[in-house]
Amino acid sequence: MAEIVGGISVSHAPGWLGWPDAPPAVQRASIAAFTQEIVDYLDEIRPDVIVAILDDHFENLYRNLMPTFAIGIADAHAGPADYWLGALGLKEKLNIPSDPELARELLGHLLGNGFDIARMGPIEYGNNLIVPWHFIRLRNDLPVVPIFINVFSPPLPSVARAYALGEALAKAVRANTSDKRVAFLATGGLSHWPPVWMEHTEESDPFLDRMRRFQTEGRPILEADPNLMVDLAAYEIEMARTANRPLVNAEWDRRFLDALGRGDVQAVKAYGYDEVEREAGHGGHEILNWAAVMGAMGGRPAKIVGYEPVTEWICGMAYATYPTAA
């Protein structure tokens, strides 16, 4: 029987990789220390495969076709998508191996247990995996099975449903008859207000209108607007410099992390769409990924490795692991 050996949750802000020197030195030092602890944790638990709970940033899924849950099944998945390379300061894609046999088993188990999860073929990663992977597993020697939760296109699944997805994934892993050592990874959050268009966006903004077209119509838009993601990076940097409103809600982030650290499942499940949207921004809905990993780890208390509210990256940067023993 396959064994669940650990769980990790980390932020995936593009700035962490794309403009790393923007935050103050003290914050950069803290984040480097948090990252090293995650690296050491991965070396300690020695997984054979990672099941990654992610959200798609319109690399593969768009508002005109956005499944609530989806899984990528292929021998490998590459990233970042070409249009992300310049924004993330990268010169070439990374080909990340996967485990299609395990992915197919997870798909079948979820479908058989009430989760209508979409099957995808080879996918392209964006900052969702490439950014943290660059720091926590740069040697790229572990297969990754990508699972996506819709966090951008309402109606979203509830936090309780995401938690239940994690529970079902853990059950599916334990039903696997191999001796694989499996770790779960969630990326995203915490609070942030990224420059993506939302259905309730009221202000007139030429850049957000460009994002609306791309998010809705997909890749063909990039043929006429090839610099969109490079401009997105510049837009975020300018937002951080000139914003007249908070871009990170550190108080909210710390409350969420406190609930995670206590293993307070009911408190985590109680987060609702309206509260998250109001208090943590539309980027804050990525706590759905964190809730799924909490569910996969049986709701036990996480170790909060560290937290930094980094306005230069427009993100509450958070890092957590789960004890290796239940």
Side-chain angles (χ1 to χ4, degrees):
M1 171 172 86
E3 179 185 4
I4 298 172
V5 296
I8 299 169
S9 294
V10 297
S11 299
H12 64 216
W16 187 13
L17 181 58
W19 45 104
D21 297 329
V26 64
Q27 284 192 318
R28 299 200 306 269
S30 293
I31 288 169
F34 305 155
T35 304
Q36 186 59 52
E37 184 164 336
I38 300 293
V39 171
D40 293 343
Y41 174 84
L42 267 174
D43 287 340
E44 174 191 346
I45 64 175
R46 297 179 291 105
D48 298 313
V49 60
I50 301 287
V51 175
I53 315 296
L54 314 167
D55 51 281
D56 188 85
H57 292 71
F58 311 104
E59 291 87 21
N60 309 278
L61 304 169
Y62 305 94
R63 294 188 187 277
N64 57 8
L65 182 58
M66 182 68 72
T68 300
F69 304 116
I71 184 169
I73 301 178
D75 292 333
H77 306 282
D82 289 339
Y83 54 84
W84 268 114
L85 288 168
L88 297 179
L90 299 174
K91 294 183 179 180
E92 60 184 9
K93 290 184 179 184
L94 184 65
N95 198 53
I96 300 177
S98 191
D99 186 333
E101 179 183 358
L102 177 61
R104 282 190 288 269
E105 285 196 25
L106 296 180
L107 171 64
H109 188 98
L110 291 172
L111 288 171
N113 285 272
F115 285 88
D116 295 325
I117 182 168
R119 177 181 182 141
M120 303 170 69
I123 60 91
E124 283 195 295
Y125 294 115
N127 61 305
N128 50 12
L129 183 67
I130 295 299
V131 169
W133 203 243
H134 180 87
F135 293 98
I136 69 174
R137 204 67 178 189
L138 186 57
R139 61 185 187 262
N140 191 33
D141 59 344
L142 289 174
V144 176
V145 174
I147 294 176
F148 298 100
I149 299 178
N150 170 27
V151 307
F152 282 126
S153 190
L156 308 183
S158 67
V159 177
R161 185 62 170 165
Y163 183 95
L165 174 71
E167 290 182 308
L169 284 167
K171 184 178 178 181
V173 167
R174 294 190 179 101
N176 181 277
T177 57
S178 74
D179 60 356
K180 292 175 182 175
R181 297 170 60 84
V182 180
F184 285 90
L185 167 68
T187 81
L190 292 178
S191 67
H192 61 301
W193 282 257
V196 298
W197 181 85
M198 301 293 287
E199 282 84 347
H200 52 69
T201 299
E202 296 179 357
E203 67 269 24
S204 176
D205 183 300
F207 178 78
L208 291 182
D209 187 60
R210 292 164 64 193
M211 289 296 294
R212 177 191 60 78
R213 291 192 64 204
F214 169 63
Q215 292 166 202
T216 303
E217 301 175 44
R219 293 290 181 93
I221 295 301
L222 295 178
E223 296 176 11
D225 196 356
N227 294 320
L228 180 61
M229 290 303 159
V230 174
D231 291 347
L232 170 66
Y235 192 99
E236 284 203 6
I237 293 169
E238 185 65 10
M239 276 181 68
R241 190 180 68 84
T242 64
N244 57 7
R245 60 179 175 82
L247 298 176
V248 177
N249 186 343
E251 181 181 349
W252 186 92
D253 290 343
R254 291 188 173 105
R255 286 200 304 271
F256 175 77
L257 291 172
D258 181 64
L260 208 74
R262 297 194 314 270
D264 192 336
V265 173
Q266 295 310 311
V268 170
K269 286 183 177 181
Y271 281 94
Y273 178 89
D274 290 340
E275 177 194 350
V276 174
E277 185 75 15
R278 181 180 64 252
E279 300 292 333
H282 40 277
H285 296 298
E286 289 170 337
I287 66 166
L288 290 169
N289 305 336
W290 288 57
V293 167
M294 186 187 196
M297 301 307 294
R300 62 181 184 264
K303 177 184 179 182
I304 307 306
V305 173
Y307 171 78
E308 285 288 345
V310 184
T311 56
E312 292 81 2
W313 295 342
I314 312 181
C315 192
M317 299 292 292
Y319 304 77
T321 59
Y322 284 85
T324 54

